[in-house]
Amino acid sequence: MRAVVYRGDGKIDFTNIPQPRPGPGEALLRVIACGICGTDLRILKSGHHRIPTGTSRVLGHELAGEIVEVGEGVDLAIGTGVGVAPNIGCGTCIQCVSEWPNLCADYDAFGISLDGGFAEYMLITTEAIQQGNVVVVPDHVLTQETALAEPLSCCLNGQEAVSVGVGDIVLIVGAGPIGVMHVMLARLSGARMILVSELTEARLKEAEIHGADVIINPEKDDLLTAVRDLTHDHGVDVVIVAASSRIAQEQALELVASRGRINFFGGLQRGDSMVSLDANLIHYKQLVITGTTGSNVRQYRSAINLIASKRILIEDLISGRLPLDQFDEGIRRSQSVREMRIVLEP
Ligand SMILES: [Zn+2]
Ligand SMILES: [Zn+2]
């Protein structure tokens, strides 16, 4: 089968590899769509601790497709459309039994420690099936949309952590596809005003189209002044930092109101993740500061439901659909601030 294989050290190629066959308890997925995520770009740039040197790996973890073959004991009909949540925990540690396999120290993930969706077919492991990672999607839902359930579920995790709710004023820093998904979710949760801060005009426009009430380019307008003016000096209830920025994390403490909640959604570059936070702001304003990473299977299922019911119009965020052999074009375009999500269609 044709696949895009990562070889370590930034090397990636389009090649033929043996097509996997499902053993007992396993299933074979024909991949129909797989999104190119910032994580894939980061792996290309600086590797991943779960991909040891010398390993070849099919990347791609935002995926959906059709079941084409099942092993003994698997109760999935051939032809069923599914999305697959990528994170699989060990199943027995405290994080796994507390419904957080994405925090398991011994996790597996499609497209990272297991072969993923940048291929014609992907083997779904027994553990993934047993832990509920394979989610059947209704016929009317396009597979390309289902592929974006994964990043949407990560945003749901981020918003649950800061309890975005009715009447909140929410500031989202960064308006890439993830920032815009946060805008869509905040709107759905009943936020009363959504502010978006972002350096790129094209992305600010995108945020505005999808529900931001106020867009701010901090290179042109001072963010702190804008927030104070808009909130009558109170500050915002919630800040979600959906950008890899130390300065944005530090500034969030000043932008938030008393009893405000902050989520450091975007990770910082490895080796450059020390920030200085004013502890007295946390203390005197009774702030809650959280971080989130990935999502659990419950949130993944919620994301599928939000897409299927059209409460979130995720297809608006797909800015390009490319065949597998144009993966390098897809990677190049994914690095551009002009694009939202690029989806490969194996
Ligand atoms: Zn991703
Ligand atoms: Zn575990």
Side-chain angles (χ1 to χ4, degrees), residues 111-129:
I112 292 172
S113 63
L114 302 167
D115 280 344
F118 293 164
E120 284 182 273
Y121 297 94
M122 185 185 92
L123 186 73
I124 306 175
T125 58
T126 310
E127 292 75 19
I129 295 170

Side-chain angles (χ1 to χ4, degrees), residues 127-163:
E127 292 75 19
I129 295 170
Q130 285 175 347
Q131 292 180 23
N133 290 52
V134 181
V135 184
V136 176
V137 292
D139 284 342
H140 72 271
V141 185
L142 286 175
T143 316
Q144 286 74 13
E145 298 170 20
T146 307
L148 297 200
E150 197 277 329
L152 183 64
S153 70
C154 299
C155 297
L156 262 179
N157 188 18
Q159 299 219 356
E160 277 185 16
V162 284
S163 313

Side-chain angles (χ1 to χ4, degrees), residues 35-40 61-62 150-151 154 178 341:
I36 300 176
C37 168
T39 302
D40 299 313
H61 58 273
E62 302 181 354
E150 197 277 329
C154 299
I178 293 293
R341 243 333 171 251

Side-chain angles (χ1 to χ4, degrees), residues 31-36 40 59-64 116-119 147-148 342-346:
V31 182
I32 301 178
C34 189
I36 300 176
D40 299 313
L59 301 182
H61 58 273
E62 302 181 354
L63 62 112
F118 293 164
L148 297 200
I342 303 290
V343 170
L344 294 179
E345 300 180 330

Side-chain angles (χ1 to χ4, degrees), residues 89-93 96 104:
C90 71
T92 53
C93 76
C96 283
C104 176

